[in-house]
Amino acid sequence: MSGGGEKGSMTTKTPADFLKSIKGRPVVVKLNSGVDYRGILACLDGYMNIAMEQTEEYVNGQLKNKYGDAFIRGNNVLYISTSKRTLADGA
């Protein structure tokens, strides 16, 4: 029975696959400092340098700033997550 081999090949996804799949979607980028940036992922490179659009900066869960475009150096990134909720449209 070849179920084991098929299961592994069909469900294996690399981190690179995940990052390619979220380009153009809302994301949350958490920095080592604890600051969150929420916006649309425009692009990223192999060093995890990130370009975002419609970016909002959150400190301790509170909105501190809004940026049109933002660039985040990869060595500051703790994680990137897809955003569960849409960005505030009329804030």
Side-chain angles (χ1 to χ4, degrees):
M1 303 203 175
S2 62
E6 288 176 19
K7 180 181 177 188
S9 64
M10 293 179 75
T11 59
T12 301
K13 250 189 144 174
T14 65
D17 293 333
F18 167 73
L19 293 172
K20 287 177 192 173
S21 73
I22 63 171
K23 188 174 173 183
R25 294 179 52 197
V27 295
V28 176
V29 177
K30 180 107 173 171
L31 302 188
N32 295 326
S33 65
V35 176
D36 289 352
Y37 288 91
R38 301 176 191 180
I40 307 299
L41 180 65
C43 63
L44 64 130
D45 65 13
Y47 296 101
M48 295 292 288
N49 295 318
I50 300 169
M52 296 175 68
E53 300 170 343
Q54 302 172 28
T55 309
E56 298 175 339
E57 179 183 47
Y58 288 83
V59 179
N60 297 323
Q62 294 187 349
L63 179 63
K64 291 294 180 185
N65 239 324
K66 289 187 178 187
Y67 307 101
D69 295 329
F71 180 81
I72 301 170
R73 186 175 163 135
N75 66 336
N76 295 313
V77 176
L78 182 62
Y79 67 78
I80 302 172
S81 174
T82 55
S83 183
K84 297 279 189 246
R85 55 193 166 93
T86 59
L87 297 172
D89 295 328

